Amino acid sequence: YADQGGDIGMRMAYELVSEIPDEANRTAVISLNSGLLSPIYRINDNWVFFRAEENPYPADGSDEITLSKVRAYLMEYERGIIEDYMLDRATSFASAASTDFDEAVVQQELTKKSFGPIPLNYGDVQLFTPISSEQQNAPEIANAATNENFWRTAWSTPIGSVSDPFVVDSNVVVLHPVSEDEYDETLAGYIESAYNGYWVSSMTESTVRNYFLSSDKLQDQFWDTFQKYLMPSE
């Protein structure tokens, strides 16, 4: 911090974790009153000491900038705490929603998203409708294609029931399936044609190509061969 005259700026207590890894030393520095100096500490290969420019004071929980900093810290380092809290809230909601889903949404000031039908397409296989097709109506599940909790919950919750809450990316979701659609048999012919005509050939080609190119027996002589036959010297 020489360029700032030694000033590290205003810091919240948790922001000093990387500066002062030792908890006892960090607590001592955080507790300093204005104008006081800390003892000299060895941190990594450096000898350092700190001076407090102000008395420590609690963070202002009503300040949006402070809240955004705390929120960013929690999302980065304490994500599990947030998930546990939101799952507890979602469990409470699911219990209330089992009687009247829409009323529970209103009472708990949550957001209801209507979407579907959900295609049975684990991994967003190209031959079938992808989960990401619901991006516009329900962006919360757009990346759920390989989320096993999503599939297990979506396909095991009876029609008209409320699911257990589960996590998808940064969201906690509760499902309320209201109907079930039959598979469109007219698509069977297209899928068979696409599988035989494109999927097998392209995937086979890709598999074979990757097999040979990743082999430790491969000797890359492309450039020598290219120069020999396509750019012969005079």
Side-chain angles (χ1 to χ4, degrees):
Y1 299 102
D3 293 342
Q4 293 84 34
D7 184 5
I8 68 173
M10 183 72 69
R11 294 297 183 95
M12 302 187 76
Y14 70 80
E15 293 179 302
L16 291 175
V17 172
S18 60
E19 303 286 348
I20 314 172
D22 184 88
E23 184 175 1
N25 294 342
R26 186 169 64 253
T27 300
V29 171
I30 293 170
S31 302
L32 289 173
N33 286 322
S34 177
L36 295 182
L37 300 176
S38 74
I40 296 175
Y41 302 119
R42 180 170 184 172
I43 300 177
N44 297 326
D45 293 328
N46 302 304
W47 294 96
V48 301
F49 64 93
F50 299 86
R51 185 181 72 183
E53 298 300 311
E54 295 184 39
N55 291 335
Y57 57 87
D60 182 2
S62 63
D63 179 57
E64 186 56 39
I65 295 177
T66 299
L67 290 177
S68 64
K69 292 177 67 175
V70 174
R71 188 178 296 111
Y73 170 80
L74 288 172
M75 290 298 291
E76 180 72 20
Y77 300 104
E78 303 288 353
R79 189 183 182 92
I81 293 177
I82 296 179
E83 287 187 357
D84 289 344
Y85 169 76
M86 296 307 298
L87 283 170
D88 284 343
R89 284 196 60 191
T91 299
S92 174
F93 164 76
S95 177
S98 62
T99 302
D100 189 325
F101 190 89
D102 290 335
E103 179 64 20
V105 168
V106 173
Q107 290 294 327
Q108 300 198 24
E109 299 180 345
L110 300 176
T111 301
K112 173 184 173 181
K113 301 288 183 68
S114 297
F115 57 91
I118 300 173
L120 182 55
N121 184 6
Y122 182 88
D124 274 354
V125 176
Q126 296 179 23
L127 290 175
F128 309 101
T129 303
I131 288 294
S132 55
S133 64
E134 299 296 337
Q135 171 72 40
Q136 183 175 355
N137 297 325
E140 294 81 4
I141 66 165
N143 298 320
T146 56
N147 186 304
E148 294 187 7
N149 285 333
F150 167 77
W151 290 109
R152 186 181 298 110
T153 303
W155 292 93
S156 64
T157 303
I159 300 298
S161 301
V162 177
S163 76
D164 293 331
F166 58 94
V167 177
V168 179
D169 293 335
S170 297
N171 302 285
V172 175
V173 178
V174 174
L175 297 177
H176 180 221
V178 296
S179 64
E180 183 176 2
D181 286 7
E182 295 292 333
Y183 172 71
D184 186 356
E185 293 293 342
T186 61
L187 294 176
Y190 162 74
I191 293 174
E192 182 178 358
S193 174
Y195 182 83
N196 292 327
Y198 168 75
W199 192 259
V200 173
S201 61
S202 63
M203 291 302 294
T204 300
E205 176 189 353
S206 175
T207 301
V208 172
R209 181 172 63 248
N210 291 335
Y211 174 79
F212 283 104
L213 291 180
S214 62
S215 172
D216 57 5
K217 297 180 180 179
L218 175 68
Q219 295 183 9
D220 187 356
Q221 299 177 351
F222 172 81
W223 185 243
D224 292 338
T225 304
F226 179 82
Q227 287 186 315
K228 179 178 179 179
Y229 294 101
L230 298 181
M231 298 180 61
S233 57
E234 297 182 355

